[in-house]
Amino acid sequence: MTMPRTYAAKRLLEHGPLSMAQFKEITGWKPRQARRAMQNLVDAGVVHKWSPPRLRHATSLYALASSNIAAGCTNTTQQKHAQHTSDTGRFARG
């Protein structure tokens, strides 16, 4: 019996977030198979797709929704945005 791709993908992401390129390289799956398995997990709410704020031009990463990384990614982005908007009234010393 073979293991379903979505199950294998979920187990792989338990070790940490991955980009799609990393995911395809590790699994050896065809691009379409890898994208479909990951999209099924995203649609089910098991996996979140996100872009780390410090790597603005990097590819998106996929992480389990239950992980600290996925749970904290939106809060970190919102906090940084709030910090930038709250500093608009300050003058620079020079």
Side-chain angles (χ1 to χ4, degrees):
M1 185 169 121
T2 61
M3 183 184 321
R5 285 192 176 89
T6 52
Y7 178 83
K10 182 180 175 188
R11 294 293 168 246
L12 187 57
L13 289 172
E14 287 177 351
H15 298 283
L18 294 170
S19 69
M20 184 56 71
Q22 292 169 325
F23 181 72
K24 288 187 288 189
E25 183 178 344
I26 291 168
T27 60
W29 297 343
K30 295 177 183 177
R32 183 177 179 193
Q33 294 170 325
R35 284 191 309 268
R36 182 174 288 165
M38 196 65 74
Q39 190 60 49
N40 287 339
L41 290 172
V42 170
D43 292 345
V46 175
V47 170
H48 286 274
K49 180 179 175 181
W50 60 284
S51 297
R54 68 182 190 278
L55 302 173
R56 295 173 193 227
H57 299 291
T59 58
S60 297
L61 297 178
Y62 295 86
L64 289 178
S66 60
S67 72
N68 292 336
I69 294 168
C73 70
T74 55
N75 293 340
T76 305
T77 305
Q78 291 170 352
Q79 289 170 356
K80 288 187 179 195
H81 180 67
Q83 288 173 352
H84 289 285
T85 57
S86 65
D87 290 341
T88 56
R90 296 184 184 173
F91 294 101
R93 294 183 180 182

